[in-house]
Amino acid sequence: MNGHPQFDEDFDLYALGALDAQERAGMQSHLEGCIACSEKLAEARRRLALAALSVPEVRPPEHIKRRLMDRIHRESAAAIPSVREQKPSRFALWLQPAFAWTCAACIAVVASILAFHNSRLQQTLDAEHQQMLALQNSAAHDRTVSSLLTGSDTQRVLLTQAADSSRPEARVYYHPSRGMLFYATNLPLAPNDRVYQLWLVPSQGSPISAGVFQPNPKGEASIILPTLPTLPPGVTAKAFAVTLEPAGGVPQPTGPKILVGAPA
Amino acid sequence: MSGTAHAFEQESDAGLVSRIASQDEAALAALYDRHSGILYSLVRRILRDESASEEVLQDVFLHLWRIAPRFDQQRGELRSWLLVMARNRAISYLRKRPLPESDDVELYAVSSTERQDVVVVQNDLIAKVRRAMSQLPGEQCSLFEMAYFEGMTHSEIADRTGQPLGTVKTRLRTALTSLRRAFQL
């Protein structure tokens, strides 16, 4: 994964542990270097923790607490050194302050040198690892885009503003098994509490959400979906649309259509 | 509730964690009284085994005892953090997966939020969560429960249910979107 996850649900799915190994690894490598996304993950964890409240509450048996407190008490007692342990040993001479300080200084110098080398090696390793992941992700991304753009049976759809075809515009490259590429230009920023939501409208049934997004300051936005919901046999994509919806998106469109388009 | 627990009744979670960091066993007992019910219920729902649930519940509080000095109160609400840790440990136990090596405060970081430890607020929250879960369409609820209570991935759910992988992904996303809106607190 090169950029930030596109949808808020990606953080929920990661926190839930529902992502398969490859998707999980891609997101994990991104999270390691992105503070903003780590915060979103923490928020997703807090939110999902609430689902536990749906379980009817049962009081744990009393003996669990007793056993726990016994263990805690034993750990605390073990952590306090006994009087016997404080008696001077036959190695007391070696523990004289001057000798101890000299040893400590030597150990500190050696440790510093080792830590410095270790840190440099780790940095090099981390940088190469990040570079490798970036190249892998970039190659996968390019393959998806190339496959969609060059596929002879890819549907190419131009989406324009419902009432005025002169300004915001988007293109969809859609293939039922290869995925979908969406690219929009000249889109104004959505209001604070709103997001844009992309919909696939099947020839039968309700629209299917393909994600929510916000354009960048230049008014550009893109969504790449390597996998899509499987449509029932005989059902095709009738149209694509972008609507303006409450933050976080909605299961079915409720807001005004900003862009619509149908395959030729 | 014991006399000691009464003494800590007005103490916030943050205050109790500070005491635990100073090796105050009574503070841990009070925190146990406050949160063990929901944690035990969650773990039991996941493991469906009394003995294993006991082991995991003890492990959660033992871990809190050990890492309390490093728990940053600013990093998140304690109850959510305990729930995340309990769920992860129970799922690891269930799926026989090892716990990550860095099993510490950062791994289960949750965001800070308003305190939810007032009984009226708690009850309101529980009702809200249960309503949201009951309003999920049956199929979506079932997929969410497989992921949440059994720790299953998209592919594992698709294998078990026989649904196409893409359908599982879409339904789970839709369920999460609905829950996210309902859980905006």
Side-chain angles (χ1 to χ4, degrees):
Chain A
M1 182 176 292
N2 277 331
H4 306 285
Q6 289 178 321
F7 311 113
D8 287 341
E9 296 93 351
D10 291 330
F11 297 99
D12 294 330
L13 288 166
Y14 182 86
L16 203 53
L19 296 179
D20 287 310
Q22 196 177 352
E23 294 169 308
R24 184 169 186 80
M27 189 145 169
Q28 196 163 354
S29 68
H30 174 76
L31 285 165
E32 282 165 9
C34 181
I35 294 169
C37 287
S38 297
E39 288 297 325
K40 286 189 174 181
L41 174 63
E43 179 56 34
R45 283 197 186 116
R46 184 192 69 79
R47 206 165 40 235
L48 283 171
L50 295 176
L53 302 180
S54 67
V55 180
E57 190 163 332
V58 182
R59 285 199 65 76
E62 284 299 320
H63 71 264
I64 301 182
K65 184 180 176 187
R66 279 200 305 276
R67 288 179 188 165
L68 169 71
M69 297 315 296
D70 283 348
R71 285 180 71 179
I72 296 289
H73 192 68
R74 281 200 303 275
E75 280 208 5
S76 297
I80 301 169
S82 67
V83 174
R84 183 177 297 180
E85 283 167 349
Q86 290 171 7
K87 279 173 67 180
S89 74
R90 60 197 169 112
F91 300 110
L93 180 65
W94 297 92
L95 299 176
Q96 289 299 313
F99 183 75
W101 279 112
T102 308
C103 287
C106 291
I107 291 168
V109 170
V110 172
S112 302
I113 293 168
L114 288 174
F116 175 71
H117 281 287
N118 188 37
S119 163
R120 286 191 61 182
L121 282 171
Q122 190 61 47
Q123 280 171 5
T124 310
L125 198 62
D126 287 348
E128 289 184 354
H129 180 64
Q130 289 301 325
Q131 194 177 6
M132 188 185 77
L133 285 173
L135 286 171
Q136 281 176 348
N137 287 331
S138 172
H141 177 274
D142 289 349
R143 275 197 300 277
T144 303
V145 172
S146 166
S147 162
L148 273 169
L149 292 178
T150 58
S152 58
D153 43 0
T154 294
Q155 291 177 310
R156 294 157 175 80
V157 184
L158 178 65
L159 280 63
T160 56
Q161 212 167 8
D164 173 11
S165 59
S166 64
R167 287 291 291 160
E169 186 176 291
R171 284 179 192 280
V172 167
Y173 295 83
Y174 168 74
H175 189 284
S177 59
R178 290 181 198 163
M180 181 163 82
L181 168 65
F182 166 85
Y183 181 76
T185 53
N186 299 326
L187 267 180
L189 276 176
N192 272 345
D193 56 343
R194 292 281 186 275
V195 289
Y196 290 108
Q197 190 159 4
L198 175 63
W199 302 93
L200 183 162
V201 185
S203 55
Q204 288 172 28
S206 309
I208 298 167
S209 173
V212 295
F213 63 91
Q214 277 286 16
N216 64 20
K218 293 179 187 171
E220 298 164 343
S222 66
I223 294 177
I224 299 171
L225 294 176
T227 54
L228 288 168
T230 309
L231 297 177
V235 177
T236 56
K238 184 174 72 176
F240 296 87
V242 173
T243 58
L244 197 56
E245 303 291 356
V250 288
Q252 285 299 311
T254 58
K257 286 193 191 79
I258 307 301
L259 296 164
V260 288
Chain B
M1 197 181 283
S2 70
T4 314
H6 275 303
F8 287 129
E9 218 167 46
Q10 300 301 318
E11 183 81 76
S12 67
D13 281 356
L16 288 176
V17 173
S18 297
R19 288 174 182 274
I20 293 170
S22 311
Q23 304 282 292
D24 184 336
E25 294 177 28
L28 184 81
L31 209 54
Y32 178 92
D33 288 339
R34 195 174 288 177
H35 296 296
S36 61
I38 185 62
L39 293 172
Y40 180 68
S41 309
L42 170 66
V43 169
R44 216 173 72 127
R45 168 71 178 79
I46 292 170
L47 294 172
R48 298 179 186 279
D49 179 293
E50 299 281 339
S51 154
S53 303
E54 175 181 335
E55 194 178 321
V56 171
L57 183 67
Q58 275 198 41
D59 195 36
V60 166
F61 281 96
L62 202 58
H63 192 58
L64 173 64
W65 173 257
R66 289 170 183 158
I67 59 92
R70 290 188 289 125
F71 187 81
D72 181 356
Q73 312 285 345
Q74 303 305 315
R75 288 287 298 165
E77 185 207 15
L78 181 76
R79 186 189 54 180
S80 299
W81 183 82
L82 287 172
L83 283 169
V84 173
M85 179 165 61
R87 175 179 175 264
N88 278 16
R89 281 165 187 263
I91 298 267
S92 292
Y93 193 106
L94 181 72
R95 311 296 305 269
K96 297 180 172 52
R97 290 178 194 149
L99 278 172
E101 283 177 17
S102 57
D103 177 24
D104 65 9
V105 285
E106 283 305 316
L107 185 68
Y108 305 125
V110 295
S111 67
S112 295
T113 184
E114 294 297 313
R115 274 180 56 190
Q116 307 280 357
D117 49 3
V118 180
V119 174
V120 177
V121 177
Q122 286 261 27
N123 290 341
D124 185 44
L125 180 61
I126 290 170
K128 199 171 182 180
V129 168
R130 289 186 180 162
R131 193 165 52 246
M133 294 284 281
S134 69
Q135 284 173 349
L136 282 181
E139 191 63 43
Q140 287 177 27
C141 187
S142 162
L143 298 188
F144 176 77
E145 289 189 345
M146 280 184 225
Y148 191 79
F149 294 117
E150 298 185 58
M152 298 176 78
T153 64
H154 284 135
S155 298
E156 289 169 333
I157 295 173
D159 285 346
R160 180 189 283 185
T161 61
Q163 296 176 18
L165 182 60
T167 305
V168 169
K169 288 186 174 182
T170 305
R171 286 181 172 161
L172 197 50
R173 271 182 188 274
T174 310
L176 288 168
T177 304
S178 304
L179 292 180
R180 196 175 58 245
R181 293 178 64 203
F183 290 2
Q184 293 298 346
L185 304 166

